[in-house]
Amino acid sequence: MTASPLEPIDRAILRELTVDGRCSFTDLAERVGLSVSAVHQRVRRLEARGVLKGYAAVLDGEQIGLPLTAFISLTPIDPAAPDDYPQRLEHLTQIEACYSVAGDASYVVKVRVAGPTALEELLRQIRELAHVSTRTTVVLSTPYEDRPPGL
Amino acid sequence: MTASPLEPIDRAILRELTVDGRCSFTDLAERVGLSVSAVHQRVRRLEARGVLKGYAAVLDGEQIGLPLTAFISLTPIDPAAPDDYPQRLEHLTQIEACYSVAGDASYVVKVRVAGPTALEELLRQIRELAHVSTRTTVVLSTPYEDRPPGL
DNA sequence: CTTGAAAGGGATACTCT
DNA sequence: AGAGTATCCCTTTCAAG
């Protein structure tokens, strides 16, 4: 299901937009060496194809009052239970991402909370909502994150 | 070091920009119920304070030819070695994020590669560059990711 | 913080190559 | 496809309330 490989110019466009998502079409055109219209066309096509899924502001977790990040591995208590954990947990806004994984656990979720107390409460909610046991890895610091994929 | 708590309007602005990072100031002003100038001022202030660290395009990993995502836990082989793993691995573009963690491992990195062969080669590089043993958790699917923090 | 205005630049559509 | 052009809208700054 991996779609047609990307052209070099499209890759250049995506690289620029990953670094600066608010870059103007004029600047973008200059950086990739195309006219404004051509870049405009290509960006719209990339958006339509779903390669470019959107644009997001990058926030500083510490400065928005959510300084504690953690990864929580979820292991089902009842192996026969239906596999609907993502939906069961979706409404918990502290959960930033949910991954289905191969390994000891079934899922790994990335969470962001205000502190240890909030983490404890969140763990209680997750266990109750999803009937899972949890293993939590607390993040001490983040040397880097959200780097542009190797385009 | 958690800075002054955010005002409701600032939180609203950040919420909108997390969902649509290319939203125009005109639209933003409408959505948060402020004048364009006022929104402009607030966004610049949030950027200056470092709350708003930037804007990034959100790409579809599968469609850019990097369908395999994994988390790799790094455990030092020599406990006395200097703690400079992030720098040693920084140039590996397959590494999207690096977290210093509390737990069995010292670091967890999130990687994105073209397939199993590329993952094997990357693991070899990581072990050699950082003198660590690795434990890899392959991501099978991603129900959701990059959700707006609970603002 | 709001309004209003004004200059400059960007976005978008259209046409031509 | 890419380039050029014209129009309209947005961004950005300013002054004043």
Side-chain angles (χ1 to χ4, degrees), chain A residues 22 34-35 37-38 41-42 45:
Chain A
R22 286 202 81 132
L34 242 62
S35 71
S37 336
Q41 252 181 112
R42 279 175 180 267
R45 217 182 310 141

Side-chain angles (χ1 to χ4, degrees), chain A residues 35-113:
Chain A
S35 71
V36 176
S37 336
V39 169
H40 200 262
Q41 252 181 112
R42 279 175 180 267
V43 170
R44 293 192 91 66
R45 217 182 310 141
L46 288 168
E47 286 172 349
R49 276 172 58 187
V51 180
L52 243 172
K53 291 197 290 186
Y55 307 88
V58 181
L59 310 184
D60 185 316
E62 304 202 354
Q63 296 220 43
I64 58 175
L66 301 171
L68 208 173
T69 300
F71 289 98
I72 306 174
S73 301
L74 310 185
T75 307
I77 291 171
D78 174 8
D83 188 3
D84 59 352
Y85 304 99
Q87 290 142 55
R88 283 174 177 274
L89 302 175
E90 200 167 17
H91 69 281
L92 296 174
T93 58
Q94 301 96 327
I95 298 179
E96 195 178 291
C98 175
Y99 305 95
S100 166
V101 298
D104 296 331
S106 290
Y107 289 90
V108 172
V109 296
K110 184 187 177 202
V111 305
R112 190 162 262 174
V113 293

